């Protein structure tokens, strides 16, 4: 609710425009609208005063127009149409300015040289592999998940009865004991058992480099970068159980 001095000043402004000729009132209101547009961003503190001057000045313009046309029904119809058009324009102007103020000033577009030198893709991450800890299975070996691994010729038998054939008598567990890695005999690849999902992978030509983020990382050839198991499975997999 406006304060009384501001309300009295607005009423005085309306009466002043009502007494002046309409061809003086209209340029004054247009100048106020232009000032409202010009000060929409960097002088937003004065926006309330300009908005009030337009809202109270428009009735003064309409009264001045009615005074010139007379008080016959035709004059009233013209004034009401002018009032409808005028207040609609004021509402459109305020709505447009409020939306522009919320969005804020447009950010400058980066130069083409900045775009050309900007990095593409995700930021590089340093991956530190935990090296595998191999254990020879001479006869029996304790399983971190309980029970023992038992050697049976060229096979390893787990405590739950799972039999791994065609493997060397050595194995490696990941830190969480989810994965069991066993070299294929004779040195022609790797067998990986995902004991959480019960999946078996026989990977020919791959060797275990280490563990990271709960996954085995493998390498084929000494001059190639290690790959996580999902990438390896996209290259080469020989049988799953």
């Amino acid at each position: 609710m406006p304060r009384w001095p501001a309300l009295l000043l607005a009423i005085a402004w309306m009466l002043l425009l009502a007494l002046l000729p309409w061809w003086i009132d209209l340029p004054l209101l247009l100048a106020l609208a232009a000032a409202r547009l010009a000060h929409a961003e960097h002088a937003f503190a004065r926006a309330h005063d300009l908005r009030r001057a337009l809202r109270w000045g428009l009735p003064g313009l309409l009264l001045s127009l009615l005074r010139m046309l007379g008080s016959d029904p035709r004059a009233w119809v013209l004034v009401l149409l002018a009032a409808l058009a005028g207040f609609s324009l004021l509402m459109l102007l305020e709505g447009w300015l409020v939306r522009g103020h919320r969005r804020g000033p447009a950010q400058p577009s980066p130069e083409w040289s900045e775009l050309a030198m900007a990095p593409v893709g995700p930021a590089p991450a340093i991956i530190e592999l935990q090296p595998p800890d191999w254990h020879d299975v001479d006869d029996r070996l304790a399983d971190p998940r309980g029970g023992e691994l038992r050697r049976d010729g060229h096979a390893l038998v787990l405590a739950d009865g799972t039999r791994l054939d065609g493997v060397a008598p050595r194995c490696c567990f990941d830190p969480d004991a989810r994965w069991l890695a066993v070299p294929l005999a004779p040195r022609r690849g790797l067998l990986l058992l995902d004991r959480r999902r019960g999946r078996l992978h026989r990977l020919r030509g791959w060797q275990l480099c280490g563990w990271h983020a709960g996954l085995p990382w493998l390498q084929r050839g000494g001059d190639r970068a290690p790959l996580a198991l999902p990438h390896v499975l996209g290259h080469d997999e020989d049988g799953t159980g």
Side-chain angles (χ1 to χ4, degrees), residues 138-194:
D138 297 329
D139 185 21
R140 296 178 182 272
L141 179 69
D143 190 333
R145 287 200 166 193
E148 294 180 330
L149 274 74
R150 179 170 52 88
R151 179 179 177 184
D152 185 9
H154 293 289
L156 290 180
V157 182
L158 278 66
D160 60 0
T162 302
R163 184 181 181 88
L164 308 178
D165 293 305
V167 296
R170 59 197 307 256
C171 66
C172 175
F173 300 96
D174 74 309
D176 298 328
R178 169 187 172 180
W179 294 92
L180 172 64
V182 185
L184 294 175
R187 297 183 178 274
R188 51 190 174 89
L190 185 71
L191 183 146
L192 283 171
L193 175 62
D194 184 352

Side-chain angles (χ1 to χ4, degrees), residues 88-99:
S88 298
L89 290 175
L90 282 182
M91 293 178 62
L92 290 174
L93 174 65
E94 290 300 327
W96 180 73
L97 290 176
V98 168
R99 287 193 298 270

